[in-house]
Amino acid sequence: MASSALGVILAVLASLIITANALVAIALLRLIQKSGSKGLYFVLNLAIADAMVGFTVVGLVMDEFSEPFHPPQTFCILRMAFVTSSSAASILSLILVACDRHLAIRKPFHYFQLVTGLRVGVRLVGLWLVAAIIGFLPVLTPCFQKVSTHGKCSFFGVFHPTYMLTVFCVGFFPALFLFIYLYCDMLKIASVHVQHIQEVEHAGLAGGCPPSHTTSDMKAMRTVAVLIGCFTLSWLPFFIASVVQTVCTECFPYKVIENYLWLLGLCNSLLNPLLYSYWQKDVRLQLSQLTAGVKRRVLLHLGCHFPGRGTKSLPTVSCLRLQD
Protein backbone atom coordinates (compact mmCIF):
# COMPACT_ATOMS: atom_id res chain seq x y z
CA MET A 1 0.00 0.00 0.00
CA ALA A 2 2.79 2.43 0.90
CA SER A 3 4.63 1.60 -2.32
CA SER A 4 1.50 2.23 -4.40
CA ALA A 5 0.87 5.54 -2.65
CA LEU A 6 4.46 6.63 -3.31
CA GLY A 7 4.09 5.55 -6.93
CA VAL A 8 0.95 7.66 -7.34
CA ILE A 9 2.68 10.69 -5.79
CA LEU A 10 5.68 10.24 -8.07
CA ALA A 11 3.44 9.82 -11.12
CA VAL A 12 1.49 13.01 -10.38
CA LEU A 13 4.67 14.94 -9.59
CA ALA A 14 6.41 13.74 -12.76
CA SER A 15 3.40 14.69 -14.91
CA LEU A 16 3.24 18.18 -13.40
CA ILE A 17 7.01 18.70 -13.77
CA ILE A 18 7.04 17.67 -17.43
CA THR A 19 3.92 19.66 -18.35
CA ALA A 20 4.90 22.86 -16.53
CA ASN A 21 8.45 22.91 -17.88
CA ALA A 22 7.32 22.06 -21.41
CA LEU A 23 4.92 25.01 -21.42
CA VAL A 24 7.56 27.37 -20.04
CA ALA A 25 10.10 26.10 -22.59
CA ILE A 26 7.67 26.80 -25.46
CA ALA A 27 6.99 30.28 -24.07
CA LEU A 28 10.73 30.95 -23.76
CA LEU A 29 11.37 29.81 -27.33
CA ARG A 30 8.72 32.23 -28.58
CA LEU A 31 10.20 34.99 -26.44
CA ILE A 32 13.74 34.29 -27.68
CA GLN A 33 12.55 34.49 -31.28
CA LYS A 34 11.00 37.89 -30.63
CA SER A 35 13.61 39.49 -28.37
CA GLY A 36 16.80 37.63 -29.31
CA SER A 37 18.02 37.80 -25.70
CA LYS A 38 20.92 35.42 -25.15
CA GLY A 39 20.40 35.32 -21.39
CA LEU A 40 17.04 33.58 -21.85
CA TYR A 41 18.88 30.49 -23.08
CA PHE A 42 19.97 29.86 -19.49
CA VAL A 43 16.36 29.91 -18.33
CA LEU A 44 15.38 27.69 -21.26
CA ASN A 45 18.12 25.26 -20.27
CA LEU A 46 16.75 25.25 -16.72
CA ALA A 47 13.31 24.29 -18.04
CA ILE A 48 14.83 21.50 -20.17
CA ALA A 49 16.85 20.16 -17.22
CA ASP A 50 13.80 20.20 -14.94
CA ALA A 51 11.74 18.42 -17.62
CA MET A 52 14.44 15.75 -17.77
CA VAL A 53 14.11 15.34 -14.01
CA GLY A 54 10.44 14.59 -14.59
CA PHE A 55 11.24 12.01 -17.27
CA THR A 56 13.75 10.24 -15.01
CA VAL A 57 11.12 10.06 -12.27
CA VAL A 58 8.81 8.21 -14.68
CA GLY A 59 11.22 5.25 -14.60
CA LEU A 60 11.07 5.20 -10.79
CA VAL A 61 7.26 5.26 -10.98
CA MET A 62 7.36 2.07 -13.03
CA ASP A 63 9.52 0.48 -10.33
CA GLU A 64 7.03 1.39 -7.63
CA PHE A 65 4.15 -0.26 -9.50
CA SER A 66 6.22 -3.32 -10.40
CA GLU A 67 6.71 -4.70 -6.89
CA PRO A 68 8.30 -7.11 -6.26
CA PHE A 69 10.97 -5.84 -8.63
CA HIS A 70 14.65 -6.83 -8.34
CA PRO A 71 16.57 -5.18 -11.20
CA PRO A 72 20.24 -5.92 -11.89
CA GLN A 73 22.88 -3.80 -10.18
CA THR A 74 24.04 -2.25 -13.46
CA PHE A 75 20.48 -1.26 -14.36
CA CYS A 76 20.02 0.49 -11.02
CA ILE A 77 23.32 2.32 -11.27
CA LEU A 78 22.49 3.62 -14.75
CA ARG A 79 18.99 4.68 -13.70
CA MET A 80 20.19 6.57 -10.64
CA ALA A 81 23.01 8.08 -12.73
CA PHE A 82 20.41 9.62 -15.05
CA VAL A 83 18.43 10.90 -12.06
CA THR A 84 21.55 12.43 -10.52
CA SER A 85 22.73 13.98 -13.81
CA SER A 86 19.38 15.66 -14.52
CA SER A 87 19.14 16.97 -10.96
CA ALA A 88 22.73 18.27 -11.16
CA ALA A 89 21.93 19.96 -14.49
CA SER A 90 18.93 21.67 -12.88
CA ILE A 91 21.03 22.97 -9.98
CA LEU A 92 23.84 24.11 -12.30
CA SER A 93 21.29 25.87 -14.52
CA LEU A 94 20.04 27.79 -11.50
CA ILE A 95 23.62 28.91 -10.86
CA LEU A 96 23.99 30.10 -14.47
CA VAL A 97 20.71 32.02 -14.25
CA ALA A 98 21.86 33.70 -11.04
CA CYS A 99 25.27 34.52 -12.55
CA ASP A 100 23.59 35.96 -15.65
CA ARG A 101 21.35 38.24 -13.58
CA HIS A 102 24.33 39.24 -11.46
CA LEU A 103 26.31 40.20 -14.56
CA ALA A 104 23.35 42.18 -15.93
CA ILE A 105 23.21 44.20 -12.72
CA ARG A 106 26.95 44.66 -12.19
CA LYS A 107 27.80 45.56 -15.81
CA PRO A 108 24.58 46.67 -17.49
CA PHE A 109 26.29 48.68 -20.24
CA HIS A 110 28.63 45.83 -21.24
CA TYR A 111 26.17 42.99 -20.72
CA PHE A 112 25.28 42.44 -24.39
CA GLN A 113 28.95 42.54 -25.39
CA LEU A 114 29.86 39.96 -22.72
CA VAL A 115 26.91 37.60 -23.19
CA THR A 116 27.36 36.44 -26.78
CA GLY A 117 25.96 33.38 -28.48
CA LEU A 118 29.32 31.61 -28.47
CA ARG A 119 29.90 32.18 -24.76
CA VAL A 120 26.38 31.06 -23.90
CA GLY A 121 26.84 27.90 -25.96
CA VAL A 122 30.18 27.11 -24.31
CA ARG A 123 28.71 27.54 -20.85
CA LEU A 124 25.74 25.31 -21.62
CA VAL A 125 27.92 22.58 -23.10
CA GLY A 126 30.21 22.78 -20.08
CA LEU A 127 27.18 22.58 -17.77
CA TRP A 128 25.93 19.34 -19.31
CA LEU A 129 29.43 17.84 -19.31
CA VAL A 130 29.83 18.58 -15.60
CA ALA A 131 26.34 17.22 -14.87
CA ALA A 132 27.11 14.03 -16.81
CA ILE A 133 30.41 13.59 -14.97
CA ILE A 134 28.68 14.03 -11.60
CA GLY A 135 25.93 11.55 -12.42
CA PHE A 136 27.93 8.89 -14.25
CA LEU A 137 31.06 8.97 -12.10
CA PRO A 138 29.97 5.82 -10.22
CA VAL A 139 29.42 4.07 -13.57
CA LEU A 140 33.00 4.84 -14.63
CA THR A 141 34.51 4.32 -11.17
CA PRO A 142 33.54 0.97 -9.58
CA CYS A 143 34.89 2.04 -6.20
CA PHE A 144 31.95 4.47 -5.93
CA GLN A 145 29.49 1.57 -6.28
CA LYS A 146 28.19 -0.74 -3.65
CA VAL A 147 26.14 -3.93 -3.67
CA SER A 148 22.46 -3.19 -3.18
CA THR A 149 20.67 -4.85 -0.29
CA HIS A 150 17.30 -3.27 -1.05
CA GLY A 151 14.57 -4.48 -3.37
CA LYS A 152 14.45 -1.39 -5.59
CA CYS A 153 16.81 1.15 -7.06
CA SER A 154 17.88 3.78 -4.54
CA PHE A 155 20.70 6.24 -3.98
CA PHE A 156 21.97 4.55 -0.84
CA GLY A 157 21.58 1.13 -2.42
CA VAL A 158 23.87 1.66 -5.43
CA PHE A 159 26.13 4.64 -4.53
CA HIS A 160 28.98 4.36 -2.06
CA PRO A 161 28.85 6.76 0.91
CA THR A 162 32.17 8.27 -0.21
CA TYR A 163 30.62 9.32 -3.52
CA MET A 164 27.51 10.70 -1.82
CA LEU A 165 29.57 12.71 0.64
CA THR A 166 31.82 14.04 -2.12
CA VAL A 167 28.89 15.18 -4.27
CA PHE A 168 27.14 16.84 -1.36
CA CYS A 169 30.14 18.68 0.04
CA VAL A 170 31.77 19.61 -3.29
CA GLY A 171 28.56 20.27 -5.22
CA PHE A 172 25.56 21.36 -3.17
CA PHE A 173 27.01 23.46 -0.37
CA PRO A 174 29.36 25.51 -2.63
CA ALA A 175 26.37 26.14 -4.91
CA LEU A 176 24.32 27.37 -1.95
CA PHE A 177 27.12 29.68 -0.79
CA LEU A 178 27.51 31.00 -4.35
CA PHE A 179 23.78 31.74 -4.48
CA ILE A 180 23.98 33.67 -1.21
CA TYR A 181 27.04 35.63 -2.37
CA LEU A 182 25.41 36.61 -5.68
CA TYR A 183 22.25 37.78 -3.98
CA CYS A 184 24.12 39.79 -1.35
CA ASP A 185 26.27 41.44 -4.04
CA MET A 186 23.17 42.29 -6.11
CA LEU A 187 21.56 43.73 -3.00
CA LYS A 188 24.60 45.93 -2.42
CA ILE A 189 24.65 47.13 -6.04
CA ALA A 190 20.94 47.91 -6.02
CA SER A 191 21.23 49.85 -2.75
CA VAL A 192 24.03 51.94 -4.27
CA HIS A 193 21.86 52.66 -7.30
CA VAL A 194 18.94 53.70 -5.12
CA GLN A 195 21.16 55.97 -3.04
CA HIS A 196 22.58 57.58 -6.17
CA ILE A 197 19.12 58.23 -7.61
CA GLN A 198 17.95 59.75 -4.32
CA GLU A 199 20.94 62.08 -4.34
CA VAL A 200 20.18 63.14 -7.92
CA GLU A 201 16.52 63.73 -7.10
CA HIS A 202 17.44 65.67 -4.00
CA ALA A 203 19.70 67.90 -6.09
CA GLY A 204 16.84 68.51 -8.54
CA LEU A 205 18.66 66.97 -11.51
CA ALA A 206 16.45 63.94 -12.14
CA GLY A 207 14.11 65.74 -14.50
CA GLY A 208 11.28 63.31 -13.79
CA CYS A 209 13.08 60.35 -15.39
CA PRO A 210 12.00 57.00 -13.96
CA PRO A 211 14.73 54.90 -12.34
CA SER A 212 14.61 52.18 -14.98
CA HIS A 213 17.89 50.53 -13.98
CA THR A 214 16.85 50.36 -10.34
CA THR A 215 13.48 48.86 -11.24
CA SER A 216 15.18 46.23 -13.39
CA ASP A 217 17.69 45.52 -10.63
CA MET A 218 14.96 45.00 -8.07
CA LYS A 219 13.05 42.64 -10.37
CA ALA A 220 16.17 40.60 -11.00
CA MET A 221 16.95 40.49 -7.29
CA ARG A 222 13.41 39.41 -6.48
CA THR A 223 13.57 36.58 -9.01
CA VAL A 224 16.96 35.35 -7.81
CA ALA A 225 15.93 35.65 -4.15
CA VAL A 226 12.81 33.55 -4.69
CA LEU A 227 14.80 30.96 -6.65
CA ILE A 228 17.42 30.76 -3.88
CA GLY A 229 14.76 30.45 -1.20
CA CYS A 230 12.87 27.67 -2.98
CA PHE A 231 16.11 25.89 -3.85
CA THR A 232 17.25 25.99 -0.22
CA LEU A 233 13.92 24.86 1.23
CA SER A 234 13.61 22.06 -1.32
CA TRP A 235 17.09 20.53 -1.29
CA LEU A 236 18.70 21.50 2.02
CA PRO A 237 16.81 18.95 4.20
CA PHE A 238 17.65 16.15 1.77
CA PHE A 239 21.35 16.99 1.57
CA ILE A 240 21.79 17.49 5.33
CA ALA A 241 20.02 14.21 6.11
CA SER A 242 22.03 12.44 3.39
CA VAL A 243 25.33 13.69 4.80
CA VAL A 244 24.29 12.45 8.24
CA GLN A 245 23.28 9.13 6.69
CA THR A 246 26.61 8.66 4.93
CA VAL A 247 28.61 9.50 8.07
CA CYS A 248 26.42 7.55 10.49
CA THR A 249 24.43 4.77 8.83
CA GLU A 250 22.28 4.02 11.88
CA CYS A 251 21.58 7.65 12.80
CA PHE A 252 18.91 8.37 10.19
CA PRO A 253 16.53 5.99 8.35
CA TYR A 254 17.30 6.09 4.65
CA LYS A 255 13.65 5.40 3.75
CA VAL A 256 12.64 8.76 5.21
CA ILE A 257 15.25 10.46 3.02
CA GLU A 258 14.28 8.70 -0.20
CA ASN A 259 10.51 8.61 0.32
CA TYR A 260 9.96 12.10 1.70
CA LEU A 261 12.97 14.42 1.65
CA TRP A 262 13.89 13.47 -1.92
CA LEU A 263 10.31 14.21 -3.02
CA LEU A 264 10.72 17.65 -1.49
CA GLY A 265 13.84 18.16 -3.57
CA LEU A 266 12.03 17.07 -6.73
CA CYS A 267 9.39 19.72 -6.07
CA ASN A 268 12.05 22.32 -6.87
CA SER A 269 11.85 21.23 -10.54
CA LEU A 270 8.13 22.04 -10.41
CA LEU A 271 8.54 25.32 -8.54
CA ASN A 272 11.08 26.75 -11.00
CA PRO A 273 8.69 26.99 -14.01
CA LEU A 274 5.84 28.15 -11.78
CA LEU A 275 8.00 30.93 -10.36
CA TYR A 276 9.14 32.13 -13.76
CA SER A 277 5.63 32.04 -15.18
CA TYR A 278 4.42 34.06 -12.20
CA TRP A 279 7.22 36.57 -11.63
CA GLN A 280 8.38 37.18 -15.20
CA LYS A 281 5.89 39.33 -17.07
CA ASP A 282 7.24 38.41 -20.53
CA VAL A 283 6.98 34.68 -19.86
CA ARG A 284 3.49 35.12 -18.43
CA LEU A 285 2.46 37.10 -21.52
CA GLN A 286 3.77 34.38 -23.86
CA LEU A 287 1.89 31.72 -21.91
CA SER A 288 -1.33 33.71 -22.11
CA GLN A 289 -0.86 34.21 -25.86
CA LEU A 290 -0.14 30.51 -26.27
CA THR A 291 -3.30 29.64 -24.32
CA ALA A 292 -5.34 32.10 -26.37
CA GLY A 293 -3.99 30.60 -29.61
CA VAL A 294 -4.92 27.06 -28.53
CA LYS A 295 -8.36 28.24 -27.45
CA ARG A 296 -8.87 30.05 -30.77
CA ARG A 297 -7.97 26.92 -32.74
CA VAL A 298 -10.30 24.78 -30.64
CA LEU A 299 -13.17 27.21 -31.15
CA LEU A 300 -12.41 27.37 -34.85
CA HIS A 301 -12.50 23.58 -35.09
CA LEU A 302 -15.76 23.34 -33.16
CA GLY A 303 -17.38 26.22 -35.02
CA CYS A 304 -16.50 24.83 -38.46
CA HIS A 305 -17.45 21.21 -37.80
CA PHE A 306 -20.73 21.78 -35.99
CA PRO A 307 -22.65 24.16 -38.29
CA GLY A 308 -26.02 23.25 -36.89
CA ARG A 309 -25.33 24.45 -33.33
CA GLY A 310 -26.77 27.69 -31.96
CA THR A 311 -28.18 30.42 -34.18
CA LYS A 312 -28.07 30.33 -37.96
CA SER A 313 -25.44 33.01 -38.44
CA LEU A 314 -23.24 32.11 -35.45
CA PRO A 315 -21.14 29.30 -37.03
CA THR A 316 -20.30 31.27 -40.19
CA VAL A 317 -19.50 34.51 -38.37
CA SER A 318 -17.44 32.81 -35.67
CA CYS A 319 -15.34 30.90 -38.21
CA LEU A 320 -14.66 34.02 -40.29
CA ARG A 321 -13.74 36.06 -37.25
CA LEU A 322 -11.45 33.39 -35.90
CA GLN A 323 -9.73 33.02 -39.24
CA ASP A 324 -9.14 36.77 -39.35
Side-chain angles (χ1 to χ4, degrees), residues 165-286:
L165 191 63
T166 302
V167 170
F168 297 152
C169 294
V170 177
F172 173 76
F173 293 108
L176 181 60
F177 293 147
L178 179 60
F179 275 141
I180 296 175
Y181 164 76
L182 292 175
Y183 177 72
C184 292
D185 194 50
M186 284 189 288
L187 181 63
K188 181 178 67 174
I189 296 172
S191 62
V192 172
H193 288 179
V194 171
Q195 183 179 3
H196 178 68
I197 290 174
Q198 290 177 349
E199 292 175 354
V200 172
E201 290 179 347
H202 182 72
L205 302 176
C209 297
S212 57
H213 288 296
T214 303
T215 304
S216 177
D217 292 350
M218 296 305 295
K219 289 181 179 180
M221 285 177 51
R222 180 184 62 184
T223 303
V224 174
V226 174
L227 287 175
I228 294 173
C230 292
F231 169 78
T232 304
L233 293 176
S234 299
W235 282 112
L236 188 60
F238 171 77
F239 282 109
I240 291 179
S242 298
V243 170
V244 175
Q245 172 69 20
T246 55
V247 175
C248 180
T249 308
E250 304 297 331
C251 294
F252 206 88
Y254 79 93
K255 290 185 177 180
V256 174
I257 301 176
E258 295 187 344
N259 293 347
Y260 300 102
L261 299 182
W262 183 62
L263 288 177
L264 183 63
L266 288 180
C267 290
N268 188 61
S269 295
L270 177 61
L271 290 175
N272 289 334
L274 296 179
L275 290 173
Y276 265 97
S277 61
Y278 178 78
W279 289 105
Q280 297 296 318
K281 181 179 179 181
D282 294 335
V283 176
R284 190 167 63 248
L285 179 61
Q286 292 299 320

Side-chain angles (χ1 to χ4, degrees), residues 32-269:
I32 289 173
Q33 291 178 351
K34 293 182 179 181
S35 64
S37 175
K38 301 297 187 297
L40 290 177
Y41 282 103
F42 297 127
V43 187
L44 176 62
N45 189 76
L46 174 62
I48 294 174
D50 286 330
M52 288 186 61
V53 172
F55 281 112
T56 57
V57 174
V58 173
L60 300 179
V61 173
M62 297 174 62
D63 291 351
E64 295 295 335
F65 287 108
S66 301
E67 293 287 350
F69 181 62
H70 303 285
Q73 180 76 6
T74 304
F75 177 85
C76 277
I77 293 175
L78 289 175
R79 170 161 289 181
M80 301 316 297
F82 278 108
V83 174
T84 306
S85 296
S86 57
S87 299
S90 175
I91 296 174
L92 292 174
S93 298
L94 280 172
I95 295 177
L96 281 185
V97 171
C99 291
D100 178 70
R101 292 299 86 204
H102 177 264
L103 181 62
I105 292 177
R106 176 166 283 278
K107 297 183 178 181
F109 299 107
H110 303 282
Y111 173 78
F112 292 103
Q113 288 78 17
L114 295 174
V115 182
T116 61
L118 178 60
R119 292 180 178 178
V120 170
V122 170
R123 292 173 185 175
L124 293 180
V125 171
L127 180 148
W128 285 102
L129 286 176
V130 173
I133 292 173
I134 292 174
F136 287 88
L137 188 60
V139 180
L140 303 175
T141 309
C143 63
F144 284 148
Q145 305 175 13
K146 81 173 187 178
V147 179
S148 177
T149 58
H150 310 297
K152 61 181 182 180
C153 300
S154 62
F155 288 104
F156 298 100
V158 298
F159 292 156
H160 196 273
T162 305
Y163 167 76
M164 303 286 287
L165 191 63
T166 302
V167 170
F168 297 152
C169 294
V170 177
F172 173 76
F173 293 108
L176 181 60
F177 293 147
L178 179 60
F179 275 141
I180 296 175
Y181 164 76
L182 292 175
Y183 177 72
C184 292
D185 194 50
M186 284 189 288
L187 181 63
K188 181 178 67 174
I189 296 172
S191 62
V192 172
H193 288 179
V194 171
Q195 183 179 3
H196 178 68
I197 290 174
Q198 290 177 349
E199 292 175 354
V200 172
E201 290 179 347
H202 182 72
L205 302 176
C209 297
S212 57
H213 288 296
T214 303
T215 304
S216 177
D217 292 350
M218 296 305 295
K219 289 181 179 180
M221 285 177 51
R222 180 184 62 184
T223 303
V224 174
V226 174
L227 287 175
I228 294 173
C230 292
F231 169 78
T232 304
L233 293 176
S234 299
W235 282 112
L236 188 60
F238 171 77
F239 282 109
I240 291 179
S242 298
V243 170
V244 175
Q245 172 69 20
T246 55
V247 175
C248 180
T249 308
E250 304 297 331
C251 294
F252 206 88
Y254 79 93
K255 290 185 177 180
V256 174
I257 301 176
E258 295 187 344
N259 293 347
Y260 300 102
L261 299 182
W262 183 62
L263 288 177
L264 183 63
L266 288 180
C267 290
N268 188 61
S269 295

